[in-house]
Amino acid sequence: MSWQQLRVQVRSDQLELLEQMLLDHGGLSISYLDAEDQPVFQKEPGSTPLWDKVDLVCLFEQDSNLDGLLFLLQQHPAVEDKASLRLEVLAEQAWERSWMSDFKAIKFGKRLWVCPRWQEPPEPDAINIMLDPGLAFGSGSHATTRLCLQWLEQNISNESYVIDYGCGSGILAIAAALLGAHRVIAIDNDPQAITATIDNAQRNRIPSGLIETYLPEHLPGDIASRQADILLANILAEPLMQLAENFSLLVRPQGQLVLSGILAEQVDPLLEHYKQWFTMDKAVLSGDWGRLTGNRKQI
Ligand SMILES: C[S@@+](CC[C@H](N)C(=O)[O-])C[C@H]1O[C@@H](n2cnc3c(N)ncnc32)[C@H](O)[C@@H]1O
């Protein structure tokens, strides 16, 4: 059996309405793709609008008549790019995971790969993270994640205790564990991200208990007294600004801090703010995005 796949770029503030419209016309499964290679902006926990603009991909039975739906979408104000509206016929084997073709294996440094779970790793003897990011952000293809993975691959030492604050799919936590960390704490304020991190850690055969996952409000009290050697946070400038003092409590003196998710123009104010607690290095830029690193000052 074949299926019809409809793909359209929409404004995410109208996502719920459009989803309902697709379901009312017989939509069977809806997936979301980042339409503009953006990271997640201001995502509320538990909600699914991930980006400003989203490519909605919806599957329908082969014989569904979609003329009315296509007409409605053509007129809809949330469909700003009418040319993005496409309908194609899919062979059965591809339909469930059709969005996955956009996610490719990527190499970081000399020894680390992030590979889609459904592909053979290009270098089976390398350190391979097999990933299914699902709805949680973090497949390694975005510059903000890439900057963190490159840093981890070069800087992590065996036996490090690492905190991944804003873990998303768990990609950084899993990379840290596979690169030799002896304890990893993965924190996210979105329960979906916690679930994705646990699933992805199991799929990568991370020994049970090596990665602990927490919502911020459930962090056990002893975390503050066991400060980390490395804290990574790929979030966004605004929460990073708010979390600075908290991070200063979570990193041991001389311990390392890695911040990402920062637009180039946001680098300077963040550097200034973090200098209260950390000796900060010069920012590393990749396109529009910057990575900040620093060491916790002695208290
Ligand atoms: C850009 S994603 C990063 C995911 C992954 N660490 C990576 O590098 O690809 C940011 C994550 O931070 C989480 N987040 C945002 N603000 C947060 C906060 N104040 N506390 C904890 N997690 C937060 C989001 O839910 C999201 O999963």
Side-chain angles (χ1 to χ4, degrees):
M1 182 169 179
S2 297
W3 306 84
Q4 299 185 79
Q5 177 180 270
L6 183 145
R7 183 167 174 153
V8 61
Q9 188 183 111
V10 303
R11 286 204 328 258
S12 60
D13 58 351
Q14 302 277 317
L15 209 50
E16 269 181 41
L17 265 174
L18 287 160
E19 277 175 358
Q20 196 52 54
M21 190 189 285
L22 295 173
L23 295 174
D24 290 346
H25 284 82
L28 300 169
S29 104
I30 302 178
S31 325
Y32 317 90
L33 297 174
D34 174 4
E36 294 190 327
D37 195 25
Q38 289 178 329
V40 183
F41 279 103
Q42 309 301 342
K43 174 167 143 30
E44 288 301 317
S47 68
T48 46
L50 304 172
W51 304 280
D52 289 350
K53 285 192 181 152
V54 175
D55 273 359
L56 267 186
V57 182
C58 186
L59 287 157
F60 297 86
E61 285 183 357
Q62 187 182 15
D63 51 6
S64 300
N65 181 348
L66 300 180
D67 292 348
L69 175 64
L70 290 174
F71 179 78
L72 287 174
L73 288 171
Q74 282 286 357
Q75 319 302 319
H76 203 286
V79 181
E80 288 170 350
D81 178 5
K82 308 294 179 205
S84 70
L85 186 56
R86 272 175 283 150
L87 188 66
E88 59 182 320
V89 174
L90 277 191
E92 171 158 45
Q93 72 278 11
W95 77 271
E96 265 185 310
R97 295 280 186 172
S98 56
W99 63 272
M100 288 179 172
S101 59
D102 291 359
F103 172 25
K104 307 259 178 339
I106 312 173
K107 190 174 189 182
F108 300 90
K110 294 195 176 117
R111 53 192 175 138
L112 180 67
W113 281 87
V114 177
C115 309
R117 199 162 56 85
W118 55 95
Q119 257 179 29
E120 276 297 302
E123 287 180 27
D125 295 333
I127 297 176
N128 288 301
I129 304 179
M130 306 308 291
L131 208 66
D132 181 354
L135 274 181
F137 182 92
S139 68
S141 57
H142 197 273
T144 60
T145 310
R146 207 160 55 231
L147 284 163
C148 295
L149 288 170
Q150 284 161 347
W151 185 95
L152 262 182
E153 197 268 342
Q154 285 173 11
N155 292 283
I156 194 168
S157 53
N158 272 350
E159 301 302 300
S160 299
Y161 162 32
V162 178
I163 295 179
D164 172 9
Y165 209 105
C167 56
S169 63
I171 186 168
L172 303 180
I174 293 166
L178 294 176
L179 288 164
H182 84 286
R183 182 183 186 194
V184 184
I185 305 281
I187 301 163
D188 206 292
N189 61 2
D190 183 347
Q192 272 184 17
I194 299 292
T195 306
T197 298
I198 294 169
D199 288 351
N200 284 322
Q202 282 170 353
R203 285 180 187 136
N204 282 278
R205 300 197 172 82
I206 304 296
S208 148
L210 177 53
I211 299 181
E212 299 162 46
T213 52
Y214 296 103
L215 292 165
E217 62 271 28
H218 293 159
L219 268 177
D222 79 320
I223 300 283
S225 59
R226 270 247 31 226
Q227 295 174 316
D229 302 308
I230 297 171
L231 185 149
L232 298 136
N234 175 15
I235 306 188
L236 281 174
E238 203 183 310
L240 287 177
M241 204 59 114
Q242 288 159 10
L243 286 162
E245 189 164 5
N246 190 17
F247 289 173
S248 76
L249 301 173
L250 292 172
V251 181
R252 69 163 169 78
Q254 294 305 319
Q256 291 168 293
L257 174 79
V258 183
L259 304 178
S260 191
I262 306 159
L263 288 166
E265 62 269 24
Q266 298 167 332
V267 159
D268 286 342
L270 268 172
L271 265 180
E272 274 314 304
H273 188 57
Y274 272 81
K275 275 181 187 163
Q276 296 176 70
W277 303 281
F278 295 87
T279 307
M280 299 300 290
D281 309 315
K282 199 163 170 283
V284 171
L285 297 179
S286 168
D288 294 339
W289 296 97
R291 178 185 72 205
L292 295 182
T293 51
N295 289 83
R296 177 76 171 100
K297 291 179 182 170
Q298 297 282 359
I299 304 154

